Amino acid sequence: MVLVLLPTLVVTPAPAAGRGLLPSAPPAFNHELLAKATPEECFVGIGLPYPAGPPCAQGQAKVNQAYVWSLAKADNRLWFGTGANVHCIVTGATLALPNPRITDDYVCEFAESQVVKQNPTMPVSVGDHRQPRAYVYDLASGALTEKTAEIAGASADDLSRLRRTLGLRAGGTHNGVVLLAGPALGATVNMFAFDTVTGEYLGSANFANYGNIRHFVVAHDTLYAGVGVGPNGRDGGYILRWAGDRDDPFNFVEVGKLPAQVADLEVHDGRVFVSTWSAAGGSSSAGARPDPDAVPVRVGVVPTAQADPGIAGVWMSPRLLDGEPGLTPDDAEGWTQVWSAASYEPDPVIAGSYGLGALASYRGYLYWGTMHVPMKSTAMVVEAYPPADEPAARATLERSQRAVSIFRGRSFGTAQASTELLYGQAVLPAYNPTADYGVGAWQWATTGYRPKYGRMGFGNIYTNYTWTMAVSDGKLFVGTMDWSYLAKDLLPQAAAETGFRGAATGLSDELDPITIDPALYGGDLWMFESNNKPATAVDTQGLGNYLNYGFRTMVADGSTLYLGMGNPMNLRTDPTDDVPEGGWELIKLTPAGG
């Protein structure tokens, strides 16, 4: 691995989107590229063997490692794990579109991949899988050390687990141990442990009862993790308490059981709060046409009553100081849902497509935001209500899009509990199958909220993931994903899936992939300086590389933020052209003059 360093750059935040009080003279920041993925494969064409290299005597260099998918800090070091070709895996496994494709930016081979050809039992939906990599970055020396070989060389079992891990998606550290974990082939979870002081590899384990893992959190000197059950967590979730140590690093007990997989975790007001992703098989899952007589297209304010618990939501643990210290197995059934996406999203099919992302406890409030896999909501609506013609397909493409909405709440579990919408919509389009004498039509319906500061997506329809949050130097930072750079490819593909390829033309200026302003390209980092002002944009172009479509991981260290970027443009590897390079990046962000 080559350590990559750039001169320090100054980033000045853009004005806040939406209405509200604008902070005067928002602070500027410096950012420094600490390390970046380098090409590790040569590519000559879909379905063809991979030549030796790089350097590549044939074909072009390809960088498969796309995300800093997990990130944890311990003993003045950053530990992180990667995910390879994640865009291809999401397209194939989550969107069920495993069709080989190539653009100037990336290639997804699926069934044509040499990995599948050499391993016929490999699911074609994840045919672009490459084993993840593990690293440690020393903050004092600036040295980056790859730890992958230590895992692979420990034993045949360790090597097998690493090869079958789809990515190291979660990172946590406590009491001298760092854990890097991720979903594995066969709907299980693999976990790898290191000593944070010596750097020694401690071993690995497979958790056959769980199918996904995304985050850890330390609460009251105890480490917790959130997991899903089944493929991509579709069968529910658990909160796990770490009962291990250096000698027994894979000892966990279940202290929470939920009907949906756990996404993120946060400590707030003496409890653990978690966000969830909608579970498949619920009343609003793809392929299940809702009963028209039961579809509530809301026209008035709707109370935040409990909805299908499998829909994405926020859940609250029992108090950590009640009974034994921390959470125990006796608390597994004691979790309470305090918010549901179905209380905001008026279309019940689209509500089933929501995930919830990052959580943060900030100045007495719990903040959270929504997650929207590009085109997933469209695919679910098309499955439930196939469009009859091209105008109907275009309307579905336009009306089914959602961007991130940002909420905050406080005093949960009391009579004073309240929830505010900071960025989002007062009304959203919802499909009513009983409209027009049973023909069906899109209608505007209330969400039951009025946004305090601005529109969903911080004003950008392509801002689709609330990927990470962190509090640093008294400010709340929100890292998002922006899929505008991919829209020119994904929107026409989605139109084709409706059966009407031409539906991708004639869209609104905001959504039209042909007229997207290139200034939108790249992930966005937002900052709240207090509870009383709207967010300001620290950067909206991927911090110096517009192919960085999102801020995937974030660790705060005083006034410094360490950022792990998502960048799946695996064919962008030519340093001599006018396009930046693909592959993950690790970035340091500090206040200017600090």
Side-chain angles (χ1 to χ4, degrees), residues 438-503:
V439 174
W442 289 93
Q443 299 176 337
W444 290 101
T446 182
T447 65
Y449 291 86
R450 184 173 296 277
K452 183 177 180 69
Y453 294 135
R455 299 173 58 216
M456 64 181 179
F458 296 97
N460 176 9
I461 189 64
Y462 288 107
T463 301
N464 63 304
Y465 284 173
T466 311
W467 241 346
T468 187
M469 292 184 182
V471 177
S472 174
D473 196 26
K475 305 172 184 66
L476 172 61
F477 291 82
V478 181
T480 69
M481 175 184 166
D482 176 342
W483 66 285
S484 57
Y485 189 78
L486 296 173
K488 60 184 179 297
D489 302 315
L490 293 187
L491 277 168
Q493 291 169 18
E497 290 298 315
T498 70
F500 301 97
R501 184 176 295 274

Side-chain angles (χ1 to χ4, degrees), residues 72 76 123 191 263 270 327 484 565:
N76 209 34
M191 193 174 297
L327 300 175
S484 57
M565 310 301 287

Side-chain angles (χ1 to χ4, degrees), residues 65-66 182 304 333 507 558 568:
Q65 301 299 323
T304 56
E333 303 290 343
L507 296 170

Side-chain angles (χ1 to χ4, degrees), residues 10 22 26 62 70 76 127 230 235 294 300 322 346 375 392 447 451 494 530 574:
V10 176
L22 290 176
K62 180 170 178 255
S70 55
N76 209 34
D235 298 324
D322 288 350
M375 308 314 303
T447 65
S530 76
D574 184 355

Side-chain angles (χ1 to χ4, degrees), residues 541-581:
Q541 295 182 309
L543 276 182
N545 182 345
Y546 60 79
L547 299 186
N548 290 337
Y549 67 12
F551 293 77
R552 180 59 188 86
T553 48
M554 186 187 304
V555 169
D557 182 16
S559 62
T560 298
L561 282 177
Y562 296 101
L563 306 165
M565 310 301 287
N567 181 339
M569 310 306 171
N570 54 27
L571 295 183
R572 288 299 187 185
T573 58
D574 184 355
T576 66
D577 64 17
D578 60 355
V579 179
E581 278 63 68

Side-chain angles (χ1 to χ4, degrees), residues 22-88:
L22 290 176
S24 59
F29 293 85
N30 299 327
H31 75 273
E32 179 184 359
L33 181 61
L34 301 180
K36 180 170 178 58
T38 55
E40 74 280 11
E41 196 170 275
C42 297
F43 176 78
V44 293
I46 290 177
L48 299 178
Y50 310 129
C56 302
Q58 303 178 56
Q60 67 180 103
K62 180 170 178 255
V63 55
N64 293 301
Q65 301 299 323
Y67 287 13
V68 176
W69 223 2
S70 55
L71 182 62
K73 179 181 177 293
D75 299 304
N76 209 34
R77 298 186 184 99
L78 296 174
W79 293 83
F80 63 97
T82 68
N85 296 325
V86 181
H87 171 59
C88 300

Side-chain angles (χ1 to χ4, degrees), residues 109-399:
E109 295 186 275
F110 297 112
E112 298 300 316
S113 167
Q114 294 300 304
V115 173
V116 174
K117 291 182 178 182
Q118 295 168 15
N119 301 274
T121 60
M122 171 77 73
V124 299
S125 60
V126 294
D128 294 272
H129 165 68
R130 304 293 189 274
Q131 74 177 30
R133 299 189 174 191
Y135 297 90
V136 59
Y137 181 88
D138 190 289
L139 293 171
S141 68
L144 181 73
T145 303
E146 183 166 0
K147 308 294 284 187
T148 315
E150 295 179 34
I151 299 174
S155 72
D157 286 342
D158 291 278
L159 175 60
S160 175
R161 289 184 187 122
L162 183 64
R163 286 178 171 174
R164 294 179 61 82
T165 303
L166 289 174
L168 295 171
R169 198 176 195 179
T173 180
H174 193 50
N175 290 344
V177 175
V178 63
L179 300 169
L180 300 177
L185 296 171
T188 65
V189 165
N190 285 334
M191 193 174 297
F192 307 86
F194 293 87
D195 186 304
T196 63
V197 177
T198 66
E200 179 186 354
Y201 176 59
L202 301 178
S204 67
N206 174 260
F207 295 81
N209 292 334
Y210 313 123
N212 202 6
I213 184 169
R214 297 186 76 246
H215 283 285
F216 293 87
V217 72
V218 175
H220 290 205
D221 200 36
T222 302
L223 182 69
Y224 297 93
V227 297
V229 181
N232 199 30
R234 71 184 184 190
D235 298 324
Y238 288 91
I239 296 87
L240 309 180
R241 174 176 175 159
W242 190 53
D245 54 26
R246 190 186 184 284
D247 296 323
D248 184 17
F250 307 111
N251 185 359
F252 288 86
V253 294
E254 295 172 353
V255 296
K257 182 180 180 181
L258 302 182
Q261 70 166 314
V262 178
D264 205 350
L265 308 92
E266 177 64 309
V267 187
H268 174 72
D269 197 22
R271 304 174 189 264
V272 174
F273 285 75
V274 304
S275 60
T276 66
W277 283 16
S278 296
S283 62
S284 302
S285 61
R289 178 190 290 265
D291 180 355
D293 295 329
V295 176
V297 178
R298 304 200 292 261
V299 295
V301 175
V302 177
T304 56
Q306 296 300 308
D308 179 350
I311 298 296
V314 177
W315 292 73
M316 176 179 74
S317 78
R319 289 199 174 276
L320 296 173
L321 296 182
D322 288 350
E324 297 181 42
L327 300 175
T328 72
D330 291 339
D331 296 311
E333 303 290 343
W335 292 67
T336 304
Q337 188 180 35
V338 299
W339 188 85
S340 167
S343 69
Y344 167 69
E345 171 57 57
D347 187 296
V349 175
I350 297 177
S353 74
Y354 275 55
L356 293 188
L359 301 163
S361 180
Y362 180 62
R363 300 191 177 189
Y365 284 90
L366 181 72
Y367 283 69
W368 69 90
T370 62
M371 303 272 286
H372 307 273
V373 176
M375 308 314 303
K376 181 179 179 181
S377 55
T378 300
M380 293 175 68
V381 173
V382 168
E383 184 74 12
Y385 303 112
D389 52 30
E390 186 171 295
R394 184 174 297 110
T396 294
L397 202 63
E398 187 86 47
R399 301 299 187 186

